[in-house]
Amino acid sequence: MILEVEHLSFAYRPERPLFYDVSFAFEQGQVLSILGANGAGKSTLLNCIANLLLPQQGEIRLHGTPLSRLELREISRIIGYVPQSHTPAYDYTVRDFVVMGRAPHLGTFQQPGRADYDLVDATLEEMGLLPLANRPYTELSGGERQQVTIARVIVQQPELILLDEPTNNLDIYHATNMMKIVRRLCDELGKTVILVLHEINYAAFYSDYICAFKDGRIAKFGTVEEVMTKETLSQIYQVDFEIMEIEGRPLSIYY
């Protein structure tokens, strides 16, 4: 298992846990989508896995080793994390911002070389972002920043990629293209991706597994087919659902 989460609990205030007793394990080379209503603790769980927040209880293990026993540099080689938004302190160009993702692979004070920039340009081209390479990052739209930040994590070449609402601020074309890139990261490069999503049908079409949260606990963890049922989704979101099938995948309609 690349990731094991056991009996994890987190609270900003002790009397009000955001989530509690969360447990699941996940194999390498698959996509896991985390679903649930606002305030369910989805992003906070991602921050705990990324070692940015310390849970009150429980344990997270990477390849069987507790996260607490790993050095930060080792964690950064395994995990790449993209938050919902990111604003750098300096006015980097897109190319220079993305090449910073190579930092875990460079020695102390070592500057990125031609091979690093070649990888950056190839990644930007793959994502349709190469025309932005010389633009200042701070001049980009919110959707462009999201895509560029994901490009920086891709060049980091981690085993486990954490994406917090990667389709935010993207139109339908770019959001769908983003999900196709996520799928290729797993299918072609063997990466493992865990992402927080609000769009249920993106989770259905591009994930292997879904973890659905409700009231601070996992309401359902399983394959897409196991979670994407009328009964489960109606219970989680408190609205009426109907499930159709498109190309062998469940498509939800809610009203």
Side-chain angles (χ1 to χ4, degrees), residues 201 204-205 224-225 228-230 233 241-254:
N201 288 323
F205 273 74
V224 170
E225 292 75 19
M228 292 288 293
T229 67
K230 177 179 178 178
L233 294 179
F241 275 84
E242 295 294 337
I243 305 296
M244 301 175 61
E245 188 172 294
I246 303 292
E247 297 184 359
R249 289 278 184 167
L251 174 73
S252 67
I253 300 172
Y254 39 92

Side-chain angles (χ1 to χ4, degrees), residues 53-64:
L53 290 175
L54 184 64
Q56 275 70 46
Q57 294 181 341
E59 185 173 76
I60 299 169
R61 293 192 294 271
L62 298 175
H63 294 303

Side-chain angles (χ1 to χ4, degrees), residues 190-216:
K191 304 298 183 184
T192 304
V193 180
I194 300 178
L195 61 164
V196 170
L197 285 176
H198 277 298
E199 177 46 64
I200 299 169
N201 288 323
Y202 280 144
F205 273 74
Y206 295 100
S207 303
D208 297 298
Y209 289 87
I210 294 175
C211 179
F213 269 76
K214 180 175 172 58
D215 298 330

Side-chain angles (χ1 to χ4, degrees), residues 77 79-82 98-102 105 116 119-120 122-124 126-127 129 146-163 177-178 180-186 189 191 193:
R77 286 181 178 272
I79 293 178
Y81 171 63
V82 178
V98 174
V99 83
M100 286 188 284
R102 299 296 297 156
H105 302 276
D116 299 301
L119 176 60
V120 167
T123 302
L124 292 175
E126 171 72 15
M127 297 181 66
L129 300 172
Q146 186 78 346
Q147 293 176 85
V148 167
T149 307
I150 290 172
R152 187 172 77 162
V153 165
I154 291 174
V155 304
Q156 182 183 330
Q157 297 182 319
E159 297 177 54
L160 175 61
I161 298 175
L162 309 176
L163 305 177
N177 189 54
M178 177 62 63
K180 289 178 179 177
I181 289 171
V182 167
R183 192 67 253 178
R184 288 203 301 272
L185 287 171
C186 294
L189 300 179
K191 304 298 183 184
V193 180

Side-chain angles (χ1 to χ4, degrees), residues 48 85 96 125 128 156 176 191-192 198 206 226:
C48 289
S85 61
D96 287 336
E125 185 171 23
Q156 182 183 330
T176 302
K191 304 298 183 184
T192 304
H198 277 298
Y206 295 100
E226 290 171 338

Side-chain angles (χ1 to χ4, degrees), residues 51 54 58-76 78:
N51 200 43
L54 184 64
E59 185 173 76
I60 299 169
R61 293 192 294 271
L62 298 175
H63 294 303
T65 301
L67 195 62
S68 57
R69 296 184 188 175
L70 295 171
E71 295 182 358
L72 292 178
R73 189 175 184 85
E74 189 174 2
I75 293 172
S76 67
I78 298 173

